[in-house]
Amino acid sequence: MKLSVIGTGYVGLVTGVCFAEMGNDVICVDIDEKKIETLKNGQIPIYEPGLAVIVQNNYKSGNLKFTTDIKMAIEQTDITFIAVGTPMGEDGSADLQYVLAVAEDIGNYLIKPMIIVDKSTVPIGTADKVRATIKKTLDKRGVDIDFDIVSNPEFLKEGAAVNDFMKPDRVVVGADNEKSLEIMKELYRPFTMNYQRFIGMDVKSAEMTKYAANSMLATKISFMNEIANICELVGADVNKVRIGIGSDKRIGYHFIYPGTGYGGSCFPKDVRALIKIAGENNYSSEILKSVEQVNDLQKMTLVKKVVKKYGDDLTGKIFALWGLAFKPETDDMRDAPAITIVKELVKRGAKIQAYDPKAKEEAQTCYLKDVKEIEYFESKYDVLNNAEALLLITEWKEFRSPDFDEVKKRLNNPVIFDGRNQYDAVQKKNDGFEYHCIGKQME
């Protein structure tokens, strides 16, 4: 099939290249000329395992094209995916200005019947707004061209997006037109051949499914973090509790690992957006409000542990951080707990030495660019030199089994604040480390 994908961010690029990998002719469009030239040169503006190779292969084969010419892309394709950003507004709602701007472009350049697919995460009712914008633009042109709006939310995990697209748990498509639904089913057939994973529904239900899924996962995280905090107060071990409840098939082990809170591009934004949507419909979502509140408080957990040990005045003290990204296998720092932790420690007079395998540039140029009391290192061991303690923030694989003798040698004092509960064995071995984790009292 001939497809165009408007927006070459995380979702758009993965969507475009994975469809191209299955033999479709795909044109990826972006208004950022520098980004398009970078992609043409085989360079990927985001870190996502496995993405670079298939982008380069499909661009060389001709299945995948990159352009800033949206008019050409719309004229030459039959299905257009809208995959531009929907940043969170100040009131928590999703900002649709970029989605509707693309809709207006489509209305200006549409010359034949087309299926327009909302791939961006958008509030319930956005398809109606996109349809109205295109129709209004076509009316201004004085033309009548058939088009259909379809909702196709993405369920990609950062760090595993290519695999998630190629081997999806489910493909959700909302359409009010049976013909469009069948065309989308055929488009996704190569990805759903082994099992029947294609789920068709109405447009508004598809739009709601995305928000419901992310909010449910965020709820599990906040619930488990709250359980961890209670465990610590009463003397229970949250790691044992997690195993005890995860063995129940109705609960499962996914998303019940305690930590410093969730972050990233999806959970924070989608929870807030759904709270906003509920409020606009005169409903107060108390569970989701609590999920967000617990998560905000959880980002302070390690800071409170540091203050409890060293006092509120951290002047002259250096702390080493392992990890800045909100999760491993990505450079994304949007709403990452590390941002809160760094700023709160610095506010109390501390200096930070940080190491992350991929997120250094994001921290330096965006999320921590105004923090002067932070130094970035290229080695997980060099970052420990002269530090009072190590704080583990992100559970990258290279942090799982470090040389603890080297860690002890480099630190001023053998103290670890473990925000991911990875080093429980250190405490059990009783090899001289003072170990602080989440959801368990220090012995």
Side-chain angles (χ1 to χ4, degrees), residues 272-372:
R272 291 168 199 162
L274 194 50
I275 292 171
K276 176 69 175 175
I277 291 166
E280 290 172 347
N281 288 273
N282 299 315
Y283 183 81
S284 179
S285 180
E286 299 305 318
I287 288 178
L288 292 182
K289 288 178 182 178
S290 296
V291 167
E292 184 178 38
Q293 182 182 21
V294 168
N295 192 62
D296 290 341
L297 293 172
Q298 197 66 20
K299 293 180 180 181
M300 287 291 294
T301 303
L302 283 194
V303 176
K304 290 179 180 178
K305 291 179 181 293
V306 170
V307 168
K308 184 177 181 180
K309 175 172 174 57
Y310 296 103
D312 200 55
D313 184 0
L314 301 176
T315 303
K317 289 183 170 55
I318 299 172
F319 294 95
L321 265 63
W322 278 1
L324 294 168
F326 87 94
K327 62 180 282 189
E329 300 301 329
T330 181
D331 59 355
D332 194 346
M333 282 190 64
R334 283 174 285 187
D335 276 296
I339 299 171
T340 298
I341 292 167
V342 167
K343 290 183 176 180
E344 289 292 332
L345 293 177
V346 167
K347 186 170 73 176
R348 291 166 172 78
K351 293 184 178 180
I352 304 298
Q353 297 178 170
Y355 168 72
D356 187 287
K358 296 296 178 182
K360 173 184 171 183
E361 185 176 348
E362 287 290 298
Q364 286 179 310
T365 61
C366 186
Y367 298 99
L368 296 173
K369 65 180 180 180
D370 296 325
V371 179
K372 306 301 180 186

Side-chain angles (χ1 to χ4, degrees), residues 166-178:
M166 293 294 193
K167 301 175 182 178
D169 292 328
R170 78 288 208 195
V171 173
V172 173
V173 174
D176 298 325
N177 181 308
E178 191 64 33

